[in-house]
Amino acid sequence: KDFFTQPYGNNLSEEFYKDLRTCDSLDILGLGQKLMFTNLEVELNDILKRGGSITAVLSKPDGAATQMCVARSLIHSSLEGAISEHKSAIDILIKTKNRCNAVKRVKIYIWDCFFPYTMYAFNLNNPQKVKMYIWITNMFAYSSERDGFVIDGRFESAAVNKYKDQYLAVINAA
């Protein structure tokens, strides 16, 4: 599998933006996501305006997982700052949901878990259109240094099913 380095919120590929701008659904698994949600807020609104859906599983802002994040982080110097950042990411999704009157099309799950990767999955329930961007969670390194990979459902159905099954299991546990 080929790896890429694509930092959160900054310098995302044109392929990522194309998938984001044309998807019917977006499923997210991640720790905080503040930078991504801030930089992609227009596109998140657009998904809902065109009738799509967003489901996000995020780490509990004041949970043990956030404490672990701060302990291994090179950018967070305080737990309080990280908690505030994680809460503001959730607020972005809530505002997006309310702004677009999409109460039934935006689902937010919170779980106290230090996820081993972040996933942005486009069209998760459409085997011919699904595409997943997965970044491995770094330990003591910057987000810009995270390895990751893209899974295209047209060619890699087994890999899609593997990550989809994990994602659904996390939703059920959250």
Side-chain angles (χ1 to χ4, degrees):
K1 188 79 182 146
D2 292 330
F3 286 91
F4 62 76
T5 301
Q6 193 176 105
Y8 285 133
N10 299 312
N11 304 317
L12 293 164
S13 70
E14 284 303 313
E15 178 185 14
F16 179 91
Y17 277 106
K18 179 181 178 257
D19 292 329
L20 180 62
R21 291 179 180 131
T22 60
C23 71
D24 299 319
S25 67
L26 172 60
D27 289 86
I28 301 163
L29 175 72
L31 297 168
Q33 301 307 300
K34 169 96 175 7
L35 183 59
M36 286 289 274
F37 290 172
T38 299
N39 290 340
L40 302 175
E41 192 168 1
V42 169
E43 288 83 0
L44 297 175
N45 281 304
D46 289 345
I47 291 169
L48 299 174
K49 286 178 184 175
R50 63 179 178 261
S53 64
I54 300 171
T55 301
V57 182
L58 305 172
S59 196
K60 182 179 178 187
D62 57 352
T66 302
Q67 293 175 14
M68 290 170 54
C69 287
V70 171
R72 61 103 185 145
S73 177
L74 297 179
I75 61 168
H76 291 109
S77 58
S78 76
L79 178 59
E80 294 78 22
I83 289 170
S84 175
E85 182 178 305
H86 287 235
K87 285 181 178 179
S88 64
I90 294 166
D91 287 343
I92 290 170
L93 283 183
I94 291 169
K95 287 177 189 173
T96 300
K97 172 177 70 172
N98 294 338
R99 185 180 308 118
C100 297
N101 195 22
V103 173
K104 294 183 179 180
R105 292 183 290 120
V106 175
K107 295 179 182 150
I108 304 168
Y109 298 90
I110 306 299
W111 196 33
D112 193 10
C113 181
F114 188 89
F115 303 114
Y117 58 87
T118 296
M119 177 185 78
Y120 277 64
F122 303 105
N123 304 307
L124 187 58
N125 292 315
N126 184 333
Q128 292 305 309
K129 291 175 66 178
V130 63
K131 196 179 277 185
M132 298 173 160
Y133 291 75
I134 296 175
W135 292 269
I136 307 304
T137 299
N138 281 359
M139 300 301 288
F140 307 105
Y142 294 104
S143 291
S144 62
E145 299 168 359
R146 293 176 79 172
D147 290 329
F149 49 92
V150 178
I151 301 172
D152 190 324
R154 295 173 299 168
F155 311 108
E156 302 169 283
S157 61
V160 165
N161 290 333
K162 172 185 172 182
Y163 283 94
K164 181 179 179 179
D165 289 348
Q166 289 177 22
Y167 179 68
L168 295 175
V170 169
I171 286 175
N172 288 329

